[in-house]
Amino acid sequence: MQQRSFGTTQRAVAVMGQGTWQIEKDRKADAIAALRAGLDLGLTHIDTAEMYGDGASERLVAEAISGRRDDVFLVSKVLPSNASARRTISACEQSLRNLGTDRLDCYLLHWRGRYPLAETVAAFGSLQRDGKILSWGVSNFDVDDLEEVTAIGGPPACNQVLYHLGERAIEHAVLPWCESHGVALVAYTPLGKSAAMYDGTSAGSRALQQIAARHGATPRQVALRFLLRHPGVFVIPKAASIAHVRENAAAADVALTDADCAAIDAAFGRGAEPHSLPMG
Ligand code: NAP
């Protein structure tokens, strides 16, 4: 699996990771087998959050990575309602217990809430000094939030944001900001919310199908690969089936041409710059 330097951490991290939102609702044995198959294929960036199933997703990840912790770039997130100076620490410690580990590779603020960023950043610094987190980042941050948090604590390791072919808003300002500040951009919901993007019922999906056919790939692989055309981008599709994990892993090997990217651009435009950052 191709790896890239993960933002300010400068650690080599797989471009294709694994999401875990709602994975606790899947058949447990399938979900664990899928995550393990993903690790075998090099999908070592695993994304979870205290919010997911109220800790159940983290506990399932703990089982999946048992005995393989050192292979994983493990990310979890603190809820904005817990992001005070004191509660960020206890939330992280609970996530570590859920995950059966002594450290997170990166700990994110899930989205901006009512606590001042300075409090959350101070807590991240304390967790880092204690070795409980190796880096910190943010999620769902627009450019003004990124500027503000950077002025407080330096640039975050990453900004995890909604990004798929049907939602390219971050390409206007957030992605350029992240690129120029060496911040990794992690695309969540990278497959989008609508199967119609892939099923041949729309002009866009037919364009994807044609490109996919030329590469011996699937439309979803083309969609994932398109997001990775920027050098600082990572994707974290969630899959609870081994077949899906294999398909997603192989997306990293699809070599899209400039003409393919132009055709995708024409079929799935960026749209106008929105007033506020879309969230999933
Ligand atoms: P996603 O990964 O784009 O899509 C997940 C859905 O696609 C699942 O139903 C999965 O089915 C299916 N799928 C996966 N691979 C497939 C394939 N090759 N063919 C057909 N279907 C496939 O959406 P997401 O879960 O919303 O986003 C990914 C991750 O990003 C989350 O799991 C979470 O970790 C993170 N996230 C973060 C935020 C945030 O605010 N920071 C918000 C949303 C998500 P199966 O499970 O049945 O395989």
Side-chain angles (χ1 to χ4, degrees):
M1 176 56 53
Q2 185 192 346
Q3 300 191 333
R4 301 185 156 155
S5 173
F6 192 81
T8 55
T9 73
Q10 299 192 347
R11 282 180 61 188
V13 173
V15 294
M16 185 77 54
Q18 304 191 77
T20 64
W21 182 39
Q22 299 193 317
I23 204 162
E24 74 285 352
K25 295 181 181 163
D26 293 300
R27 218 179 125 249
K28 188 174 172 186
D30 292 346
I32 289 175
L35 285 168
R36 287 193 181 146
L39 291 181
D40 292 341
L41 291 164
L43 276 58
T44 48
H45 172 178
I46 296 186
D47 178 77
T48 185
E50 62 168 336
M51 186 188 90
Y52 299 166
D54 208 9
S57 164
E58 291 179 324
R59 289 189 288 274
L60 189 143
V61 169
E63 288 192 49
I65 67 173
S66 174
R68 307 180 69 167
R69 173 66 187 89
D70 291 346
D71 298 341
V72 181
F73 187 83
L74 188 57
V75 178
S76 192
K77 313 184 196 78
V78 60
L79 275 167
S81 53
N82 281 338
S84 67
R86 204 165 42 83
R87 281 168 62 193
T88 298
I89 309 270
S90 47
C92 179
E93 288 168 347
Q94 182 58 50
S95 286
L96 292 174
R97 279 192 294 276
N98 289 342
L99 285 159
T101 186
D102 59 353
R103 69 200 184 279
L104 294 171
D105 293 284
C106 198
Y107 193 38
L108 314 186
L109 174 58
H110 210 146
W111 66 90
R112 196 168 174 178
R114 67 179 189 275
Y115 288 110
L117 288 175
E119 279 202 35
T120 316
V121 170
F124 285 160
S126 162
L127 288 166
Q128 225 170 342
R129 283 190 295 282
D130 289 347
K132 292 176 179 168
I133 67 173
L134 303 186
S135 65
W136 63 270
V138 295
S139 178
N140 297 300
F141 266 39
D142 210 335
V143 167
D144 50 350
D145 305 313
L146 289 164
E147 294 281 6
E148 195 176 326
V149 82
T150 298
I152 294 166
C158 69
N159 186 20
Q160 190 184 112
V161 289
L162 179 66
Y163 185 31
H164 58 78
L165 278 188
E167 182 48 85
R168 296 175 57 190
I170 57 104
E171 289 184 23
H172 289 284
V174 171
L175 177 58
W177 190 97
C178 288
E179 284 177 337
S180 67
H181 291 78
V183 172
L185 188 136
V186 179
Y188 75 68
T189 317
L191 291 164
K193 295 185 197 298
S194 164
M197 287 207 309
Y198 308 109
D199 65 6
T201 58
S202 64
S205 69
R206 284 191 289 279
L208 278 188
Q209 287 184 342
Q210 282 164 12
I211 296 165
R214 280 203 294 280
H215 290 278
T218 68
R220 281 182 178 79
Q221 288 175 327
V222 171
L224 289 173
R225 188 65 188 81
F226 181 77
L227 305 183
L228 293 171
R229 73 201 183 288
H230 294 284
V233 172
F234 298 77
V235 295
I236 47 167
K238 175 259 173 187
S241 99
I242 291 180
H244 288 167
V245 169
R246 289 202 180 114
E247 180 179 343
N248 298 343
D253 298 328
V254 178
L256 294 181
T257 64
D258 290 347
D260 294 331
C261 290
I264 295 169
D265 244 336
F268 296 92
R270 274 185 194 184
E273 186 168 0
H275 294 298
S276 61
L277 194 66
M279 280 175 67

